[in-house]
Amino acid sequence: MDKGLSSVLFSVRMRATMKIGNNGEELHLSGCERLVTENQVLEVVQNLLKRAEEHTRGRADMVNIQIEKIDKSNVRIVPALTVQSREFPNVSQAHADAIAFLIETGVSETAARKGLEAIEQLKTSMRGAMIYDAASGNRLDRLDMRGVRLSHMDCKDKNACLEFLKRNNMKSTKLSEALVLASKAASVENYVAELCWSDDPNYTTGYVASKKFYRRLSPMKHLESPIGGRVFFFKPNVDIKATIDFFEKEPALVDIK
Ligand code: WAQ
Ligand code: MG
């Protein structure tokens, strides 16, 4: 028997784009990240292809699937943030709670408001997240529409994750995927908080996260809006290159129970 087989995992990443306008500019439609054993790769690829085809923001013109071998010994186990949920009668009250949460977590009011406005003012959704200085509210990553994408991550125990979704009455994996992403991000040095809502026109729940909590907030946007986004707030002394490297490359399995 090849003992080596059990010591590797496979990172499977999907990204779907759509061409817009006459010059064929690429619009990011959807992306998804999984970290699985070899015998799951084929099934996961099929699932991700299906997802790319069915995205509510439009039909994909290009789907990119990347499969990469990962040494299990490089994978970090990260605890899941504690989930809270709050519902509000309208977007502005949910946003006010998000701002209050961010301020409690150590983000300045200026930075919290700038981050929120940055997502609200997007004309199309970005491929990745923006990184903001939690004190000044200046954007720290490249000032373009790419943003930074977290990658190489998944739930540690897939069955526990399904149980968790059932307990929360979730039919889709949106909650667990966002919790995986937020928990991996929160484990990096100098992280302060995150603000997010989905670009899915049918999905108005968003969240704010800190090093401890993942607070789901509804509604963070109006139904049918195809604009969503993510802002991470970091301490001013953050090493931005090291952070982006960690976000993109360091494999992490999140322990959702
Ligand atoms: N890394 C960084 N940013 C990303 C990533 C990633 N891997 N994936 C998406 N984004 C950015 C990108 O700008 C998207 O437009 C935006 O975030 C929203 O992504 O019920 O579904 O995948 O608790 O639409 C949150 C609430 C759902 C879940 C979030 O985000 C719940 C969601 P989406
Ligand atoms: Mg989406």
Side-chain angles (χ1 to χ4, degrees), residues 12 21 29-30 62 72 78 84 92 98 106-107 120-121 139-140 148-149 159 177 189 197 225 248-249 252:
V12 186
L29 274 184
S30 71
M62 191 176 84
K72 244 187 183 169
V78 173
Q84 307 177 328
S92 63
V107 179
E120 277 186 315
Q121 286 166 7
R139 186 164 165 197
L140 299 174
V148 182
R149 264 189 89 79
N159 287 328
E177 280 172 21
E189 215 182 338
W197 63 87
S225 157
E248 290 176 346
K249 297 184 192 137

PDB file of all heavy atoms in Angstrom, residues 12 21 29-30 62 72 78 84 92 98 106-107 120-121 139-140 148-149 159 177 189 197 225 248-249 252:
ATOM      1  N   VAL A  12      -9.064  22.061  -4.570  1.00  0.00           N
ATOM      2  CA  VAL A  12      -9.823  22.197  -5.814  1.00  0.00           C
ATOM      3  C   VAL A  12     -10.465  23.581  -5.808  1.00  0.00           C
ATOM      4  O   VAL A  12     -11.186  23.926  -4.875  1.00  0.00           O
ATOM      5  CB  VAL A  12     -10.916  21.110  -5.939  1.00  0.00           C
ATOM      6  CG1 VAL A  12     -11.578  21.185  -7.315  1.00  0.00           C
ATOM      7  CG2 VAL A  12     -10.341  19.730  -5.698  1.00  0.00           C
ATOM      8  N   GLY A  21     -19.917  43.524 -22.315  1.00  0.00           N
ATOM      9  CA  GLY A  21     -19.561  44.635 -23.206  1.00  0.00           C
ATOM     10  C   GLY A  21     -18.924  44.160 -24.499  1.00  0.00           C
ATOM     11  O   GLY A  21     -18.742  42.963 -24.728  1.00  0.00           O
ATOM     12  N   LEU A  29     -18.117  35.923 -11.694  1.00  0.00           N
ATOM     13  CA  LEU A  29     -19.454  35.420 -11.346  1.00  0.00           C
ATOM     14  C   LEU A  29     -19.449  34.683 -10.022  1.00  0.00           C
ATOM     15  O   LEU A  29     -20.211  34.978  -9.122  1.00  0.00           O
ATOM     16  CB  LEU A  29     -19.931  34.439 -12.426  1.00  0.00           C
ATOM     17  CG  LEU A  29     -20.631  35.001 -13.631  1.00  0.00           C
ATOM     18  CD1 LEU A  29     -21.097  33.850 -14.520  1.00  0.00           C
ATOM     19  CD2 LEU A  29     -21.837  35.825 -13.222  1.00  0.00           C
ATOM     20  N   SER A  30     -18.587  33.692  -9.912  1.00  0.00           N
ATOM     21  CA  SER A  30     -18.556  32.935  -8.669  1.00  0.00           C
ATOM     22  C   SER A  30     -17.244  32.186  -8.535  1.00  0.00           C
ATOM     23  O   SER A  30     -16.521  31.972  -9.512  1.00  0.00           O
ATOM     24  CB  SER A  30     -19.721  31.951  -8.611  1.00  0.00           C
ATOM     25  OG  SER A  30     -19.520  30.895  -9.520  1.00  0.00           O
ATOM     26  N   MET A  62     -16.621  31.395 -19.001  1.00  0.00           N
ATOM     27  CA  MET A  62     -15.383  30.656 -18.764  1.00  0.00           C
ATOM     28  C   MET A  62     -15.367  30.108 -17.341  1.00  0.00           C
ATOM     29  O   MET A  62     -15.680  30.828 -16.398  1.00  0.00           O
ATOM     30  CB  MET A  62     -14.170  31.549 -18.961  1.00  0.00           C
ATOM     31  CG  MET A  62     -12.897  30.728 -18.981  1.00  0.00           C
ATOM     32  SD  MET A  62     -11.444  31.720 -19.337  1.00  0.00           S
ATOM     33  CE  MET A  62     -11.081  32.336 -17.736  1.00  0.00           C
ATOM     34  N   LYS A  72      -0.355  17.289   3.670  1.00  0.00           N
ATOM     35  CA  LYS A  72      -1.220  17.408   4.855  1.00  0.00           C
ATOM     36  C   LYS A  72      -0.507  18.057   6.038  1.00  0.00           C
ATOM     37  O   LYS A  72      -1.128  18.740   6.850  1.00  0.00           O
ATOM     38  CB  LYS A  72      -1.705  16.023   5.289  1.00  0.00           C
ATOM     39  CG  LYS A  72      -3.198  15.843   5.185  1.00  0.00           C
ATOM     40  CD  LYS A  72      -3.590  14.513   5.787  1.00  0.00           C
ATOM     41  CE  LYS A  72      -5.074  14.258   5.638  1.00  0.00           C
ATOM     42  NZ  LYS A  72      -5.424  12.872   5.972  1.00  0.00           N
ATOM     43  N   VAL A  78      -7.912  25.281  12.216  1.00  0.00           N
ATOM     44  CA  VAL A  78      -8.335  26.562  12.766  1.00  0.00           C
ATOM     45  C   VAL A  78      -9.708  26.383  13.431  1.00  0.00           C
ATOM     46  O   VAL A  78     -10.595  25.781  12.829  1.00  0.00           O
ATOM     47  CB  VAL A  78      -8.452  27.602  11.608  1.00  0.00           C
ATOM     48  CG1 VAL A  78      -9.055  28.899  12.087  1.00  0.00           C
ATOM     49  CG2 VAL A  78      -7.093  27.832  10.961  1.00  0.00           C
ATOM     50  N   GLN A  84     -23.444  33.966  15.775  1.00  0.00           N
ATOM     51  CA  GLN A  84     -24.605  34.667  16.331  1.00  0.00           C
ATOM     52  C   GLN A  84     -25.478  35.081  15.150  1.00  0.00           C
ATOM     53  O   GLN A  84     -24.977  35.229  14.046  1.00  0.00           O
ATOM     54  CB  GLN A  84     -24.169  35.956  17.037  1.00  0.00           C
ATOM     55  CG  GLN A  84     -23.096  35.797  18.086  1.00  0.00           C
ATOM     56  CD  GLN A  84     -22.672  37.158  18.676  1.00  0.00           C
ATOM     57  OE1 GLN A  84     -22.696  38.167  17.983  1.00  0.00           O
ATOM     58  NE2 GLN A  84     -22.294  37.151  19.941  1.00  0.00           N
ATOM     59  N   SER A  92     -30.917  49.565   6.867  1.00  0.00           N
ATOM     60  CA  SER A  92     -30.154  50.589   7.600  1.00  0.00           C
ATOM     61  C   SER A  92     -29.964  50.191   9.069  1.00  0.00           C
ATOM     62  O   SER A  92     -28.908  50.462   9.653  1.00  0.00           O
ATOM     63  CB  SER A  92     -30.774  51.978   7.438  1.00  0.00           C
ATOM     64  OG  SER A  92     -32.047  51.999   7.990  1.00  0.00           O
ATOM     65  N   ALA A  98     -23.978  46.463  12.348  1.00  0.00           N
ATOM     66  CA  ALA A  98     -22.667  46.078  11.817  1.00  0.00           C
ATOM     67  C   ALA A  98     -21.613  47.101  12.233  1.00  0.00           C
ATOM     68  O   ALA A  98     -20.518  46.739  12.702  1.00  0.00           O
ATOM     69  CB  ALA A  98     -22.724  45.961  10.294  1.00  0.00           C
ATOM     70  N   GLY A 106     -12.789  47.160  17.661  1.00  0.00           N
ATOM     71  CA  GLY A 106     -11.536  47.903  17.583  1.00  0.00           C
ATOM     72  C   GLY A 106     -11.325  48.641  16.278  1.00  0.00           C
ATOM     73  O   GLY A 106     -10.257  49.206  16.037  1.00  0.00           O
ATOM     74  N   VAL A 107     -12.346  48.636  15.416  1.00  0.00           N
ATOM     75  CA  VAL A 107     -12.262  49.400  14.166  1.00  0.00           C
ATOM     76  C   VAL A 107     -12.721  50.827  14.492  1.00  0.00           C
ATOM     77  O   VAL A 107     -13.679  51.016  15.242  1.00  0.00           O
ATOM     78  CB  VAL A 107     -13.190  48.783  13.086  1.00  0.00           C
ATOM     79  CG1 VAL A 107     -13.138  49.577  11.790  1.00  0.00           C
ATOM     80  CG2 VAL A 107     -12.822  47.317  12.845  1.00  0.00           C
ATOM     81  N   GLU A 120     -21.027  49.314  -0.595  1.00  0.00           N
ATOM     82  CA  GLU A 120     -22.273  49.892  -1.131  1.00  0.00           C
ATOM     83  C   GLU A 120     -22.051  50.573  -2.475  1.00  0.00           C
ATOM     84  O   GLU A 120     -22.935  50.606  -3.316  1.00  0.00           O
ATOM     85  CB  GLU A 120     -22.820  50.935  -0.150  1.00  0.00           C
ATOM     86  CG  GLU A 120     -23.622  50.325   0.977  1.00  0.00           C
ATOM     87  CD  GLU A 120     -24.261  51.407   1.839  1.00  0.00           C
ATOM     88  OE1 GLU A 120     -23.556  52.373   2.173  1.00  0.00           O
ATOM     89  OE2 GLU A 120     -25.445  51.261   2.171  1.00  0.00           O
ATOM     90  N   GLN A 121     -20.865  51.172  -2.658  1.00  0.00           N
ATOM     91  CA  GLN A 121     -20.620  51.955  -3.868  1.00  0.00           C
ATOM     92  C   GLN A 121     -20.076  51.154  -5.045  1.00  0.00           C
ATOM     93  O   GLN A 121     -19.819  51.710  -6.103  1.00  0.00           O
ATOM     94  CB  GLN A 121     -19.681  53.122  -3.532  1.00  0.00           C
ATOM     95  CG  GLN A 121     -20.423  54.212  -2.752  1.00  0.00           C
ATOM     96  CD  GLN A 121     -19.487  55.219  -2.115  1.00  0.00           C
ATOM     97  OE1 GLN A 121     -18.281  55.202  -2.353  1.00  0.00           O
ATOM     98  NE2 GLN A 121     -20.040  56.098  -1.299  1.00  0.00           N
ATOM     99  N   ARG A 139      -7.459  52.108   2.222  1.00  0.00           N
ATOM    100  CA  ARG A 139      -7.371  50.772   1.640  1.00  0.00           C
ATOM    101  C   ARG A 139      -5.903  50.371   1.521  1.00  0.00           C
ATOM    102  O   ARG A 139      -5.075  51.159   1.046  1.00  0.00           O
ATOM    103  CB  ARG A 139      -8.077  50.736   0.277  1.00  0.00           C
ATOM    104  CG  ARG A 139      -8.134  49.326  -0.281  1.00  0.00           C
ATOM    105  CD  ARG A 139      -9.121  49.164  -1.398  1.00  0.00           C
ATOM    106  NE  ARG A 139      -8.848  47.894  -2.081  1.00  0.00           N
ATOM    107  CZ  ARG A 139      -9.297  47.570  -3.272  1.00  0.00           C
ATOM    108  NH1 ARG A 139     -10.069  48.418  -3.923  1.00  0.00           N
ATOM    109  NH2 ARG A 139      -8.994  46.405  -3.825  1.00  0.00           N
ATOM    110  N   LEU A 140      -5.574  49.133   1.926  1.00  0.00           N
ATOM    111  CA  LEU A 140      -4.172  48.720   1.988  1.00  0.00           C
ATOM    112  C   LEU A 140      -3.743  47.774   0.868  1.00  0.00           C
ATOM    113  O   LEU A 140      -2.559  47.656   0.571  1.00  0.00           O
ATOM    114  CB  LEU A 140      -3.886  48.031   3.328  1.00  0.00           C
ATOM    115  CG  LEU A 140      -4.112  48.879   4.592  1.00  0.00           C
ATOM    116  CD1 LEU A 140      -3.937  48.015   5.838  1.00  0.00           C
ATOM    117  CD2 LEU A 140      -3.149  50.057   4.631  1.00  0.00           C
ATOM    118  N   VAL A 148      -8.339  40.657  -2.842  1.00  0.00           N
ATOM    119  CA  VAL A 148      -7.567  39.515  -2.366  1.00  0.00           C
ATOM    120  C   VAL A 148      -8.508  38.339  -2.152  1.00  0.00           C
ATOM    121  O   VAL A 148      -9.523  38.473  -1.480  1.00  0.00           O
ATOM    122  CB  VAL A 148      -6.920  39.871  -1.018  1.00  0.00           C
ATOM    123  CG1 VAL A 148      -6.062  38.723  -0.525  1.00  0.00           C
ATOM    124  CG2 VAL A 148      -6.107  41.143  -1.149  1.00  0.00           C
ATOM    125  N   ARG A 149      -8.162  37.190  -2.718  1.00  0.00           N
ATOM    126  CA  ARG A 149      -9.033  36.014  -2.538  1.00  0.00           C
ATOM    127  C   ARG A 149      -8.449  35.032  -1.558  1.00  0.00           C
ATOM    128  O   ARG A 149      -7.302  34.613  -1.693  1.00  0.00           O
ATOM    129  CB  ARG A 149      -9.230  35.297  -3.874  1.00  0.00           C
ATOM    130  CG  ARG A 149     -10.508  35.704  -4.586  1.00  0.00           C
ATOM    131  CD  ARG A 149     -10.791  34.827  -5.773  1.00  0.00           C
ATOM    132  NE  ARG A 149     -11.592  33.650  -5.418  1.00  0.00           N
ATOM    133  CZ  ARG A 149     -12.902  33.679  -5.243  1.00  0.00           C
ATOM    134  NH1 ARG A 149     -13.571  34.795  -5.351  1.00  0.00           N
ATOM    135  NH2 ARG A 149     -13.562  32.574  -4.941  1.00  0.00           N
ATOM    136  N   ASN A 159     -18.925  15.851   7.706  1.00  0.00           N
ATOM    137  CA  ASN A 159     -20.199  15.427   8.305  1.00  0.00           C
ATOM    138  C   ASN A 159     -20.640  16.379   9.407  1.00  0.00           C
ATOM    139  O   ASN A 159     -21.809  16.751   9.486  1.00  0.00           O
ATOM    140  CB  ASN A 159     -20.092  14.006   8.854  1.00  0.00           C
ATOM    141  CG  ASN A 159     -20.050  13.001   7.717  1.00  0.00           C
ATOM    142  OD1 ASN A 159     -20.653  13.245   6.666  1.00  0.00           O
ATOM    143  ND2 ASN A 159     -19.311  11.928   7.901  1.00  0.00           N
ATOM    144  N   GLU A 177     -19.521  27.881   4.159  1.00  0.00           N
ATOM    145  CA  GLU A 177     -18.414  28.402   3.343  1.00  0.00           C
ATOM    146  C   GLU A 177     -17.939  29.765   3.847  1.00  0.00           C
ATOM    147  O   GLU A 177     -16.737  30.028   3.918  1.00  0.00           O
ATOM    148  CB  GLU A 177     -18.838  28.508   1.875  1.00  0.00           C
ATOM    149  CG  GLU A 177     -18.753  27.167   1.182  1.00  0.00           C
ATOM    150  CD  GLU A 177     -19.350  27.171  -0.206  1.00  0.00           C
ATOM    151  OE1 GLU A 177     -19.474  28.259  -0.811  1.00  0.00           O
ATOM    152  OE2 GLU A 177     -19.690  26.078  -0.689  1.00  0.00           O
ATOM    153  N   GLU A 189      -2.372  37.070  11.906  1.00  0.00           N
ATOM    154  CA  GLU A 189      -1.848  38.129  12.772  1.00  0.00           C
ATOM    155  C   GLU A 189      -2.333  39.513  12.330  1.00  0.00           C
ATOM    156  O   GLU A 189      -2.420  39.789  11.125  1.00  0.00           O
ATOM    157  CB  GLU A 189      -0.321  38.112  12.663  1.00  0.00           C
ATOM    158  CG  GLU A 189       0.369  38.454  13.956  1.00  0.00           C
ATOM    159  CD  GLU A 189       1.889  38.454  13.760  1.00  0.00           C
ATOM    160  OE1 GLU A 189       2.377  37.820  12.802  1.00  0.00           O
ATOM    161  OE2 GLU A 189       2.560  39.096  14.578  1.00  0.00           O
ATOM    162  N   TRP A 197     -21.276  41.004   2.659  1.00  0.00           N
ATOM    163  CA  TRP A 197     -22.556  40.459   2.227  1.00  0.00           C
ATOM    164  C   TRP A 197     -22.414  39.886   0.840  1.00  0.00           C
ATOM    165  O   TRP A 197     -21.505  40.230   0.087  1.00  0.00           O
ATOM    166  CB  TRP A 197     -23.723  41.426   2.393  1.00  0.00           C
ATOM    167  CG  TRP A 197     -23.730  42.709   1.626  1.00  0.00           C
ATOM    168  CD1 TRP A 197     -24.213  42.911   0.373  1.00  0.00           C
ATOM    169  CD2 TRP A 197     -23.308  44.005   2.105  1.00  0.00           C
ATOM    170  NE1 TRP A 197     -24.110  44.235   0.051  1.00  0.00           N
ATOM    171  CE2 TRP A 197     -23.565  44.938   1.089  1.00  0.00           C
ATOM    172  CE3 TRP A 197     -22.734  44.458   3.306  1.00  0.00           C
ATOM    173  CZ2 TRP A 197     -23.252  46.290   1.222  1.00  0.00           C
ATOM    174  CZ3 TRP A 197     -22.433  45.794   3.434  1.00  0.00           C
ATOM    175  CH2 TRP A 197     -22.693  46.694   2.405  1.00  0.00           C
ATOM    176  N   SER A 225     -30.381  42.837  -5.485  1.00  0.00           N
ATOM    177  CA  SER A 225     -29.124  43.521  -5.780  1.00  0.00           C
ATOM    178  C   SER A 225     -28.021  42.487  -6.040  1.00  0.00           C
ATOM    179  O   SER A 225     -27.791  41.600  -5.223  1.00  0.00           O
ATOM    180  CB  SER A 225     -28.713  44.408  -4.598  1.00  0.00           C
ATOM    181  OG  SER A 225     -27.312  44.620  -4.653  1.00  0.00           O
ATOM    182  N   GLU A 248      -4.052  33.663   0.495  1.00  0.00           N
ATOM    183  CA  GLU A 248      -4.140  32.953  -0.774  1.00  0.00           C
ATOM    184  C   GLU A 248      -3.581  31.545  -0.712  1.00  0.00           C
ATOM    185  O   GLU A 248      -4.093  30.644  -1.356  1.00  0.00           O
ATOM    186  CB  GLU A 248      -3.395  33.744  -1.867  1.00  0.00           C
ATOM    187  CG  GLU A 248      -4.106  35.036  -2.252  1.00  0.00           C
ATOM    188  CD  GLU A 248      -3.337  35.855  -3.260  1.00  0.00           C
ATOM    189  OE1 GLU A 248      -2.134  35.588  -3.498  1.00  0.00           O
ATOM    190  OE2 GLU A 248      -3.953  36.800  -3.826  1.00  0.00           O
ATOM    191  N   LYS A 249      -2.499  31.383   0.074  1.00  0.00           N
ATOM    192  CA  LYS A 249      -1.754  30.131  -0.096  1.00  0.00           C
ATOM    193  C   LYS A 249      -1.754  29.168   1.074  1.00  0.00           C
ATOM    194  O   LYS A 249      -1.598  27.976   0.877  1.00  0.00           O
ATOM    195  CB  LYS A 249      -0.304  30.456  -0.462  1.00  0.00           C
ATOM    196  CG  LYS A 249      -0.226  31.172  -1.789  1.00  0.00           C
ATOM    197  CD  LYS A 249       1.195  31.422  -2.219  1.00  0.00           C
ATOM    198  CE  LYS A 249       1.216  32.396  -3.386  1.00  0.00           C
ATOM    199  NZ  LYS A 249       2.265  33.394  -3.257  1.00  0.00           N
ATOM    200  N   ALA A 252      -5.791  25.678   5.185  1.00  0.00           N
ATOM    201  CA  ALA A 252      -6.389  25.645   6.522  1.00  0.00           C
ATOM    202  C   ALA A 252      -7.685  24.839   6.497  1.00  0.00           C
ATOM    203  O   ALA A 252      -8.483  24.954   5.564  1.00  0.00           O
ATOM    204  CB  ALA A 252      -6.672  27.068   6.989  1.00  0.00           C
TER     205      ALA A 252
END
